[in-house]
Amino acid sequence: ISVPPPVGGAWQVVFAGEVGATYTIQSSTDLINWVDLATLISFDGTVPFTTSVPPSLGGGFYRALRR
């Protein structure tokens, strides 16, 4: 996972993934309850997800689950 600096007020979280695999991006504030945010396909071995809420300001935690 990598979190580069924000561009235009949005944060991009980049997960490593398997080419052609589908991933559900989830967010949690307590690591117990998770909410689905997006379903994405890895076309090049990465799974980029953009959000306007940085983790340090209430965005909490993110994870990518392979489907």
Side-chain angles (χ1 to χ4, degrees):
I1 182 172
S2 65
V3 183
V7 176
W11 289 83
Q12 185 176 62
V13 179
V14 181
F15 297 93
E18 183 179 331
V19 174
T22 300
Y23 295 87
T24 298
I25 308 302
Q26 296 183 324
S27 176
S28 174
T29 56
D30 59 11
L31 295 174
I32 296 170
N33 300 297
W34 292 89
V35 176
D36 291 352
L37 300 177
T39 300
L40 304 169
I41 298 172
S42 175
F43 293 104
D44 63 359
T46 64
V47 185
F49 172 72
T50 303
T51 180
S52 60
V53 182
S56 61
L57 294 178
F61 304 93
Y62 296 97
R63 69 181 180 184
L65 299 178
R66 184 171 179 208
R67 298 294 176 190

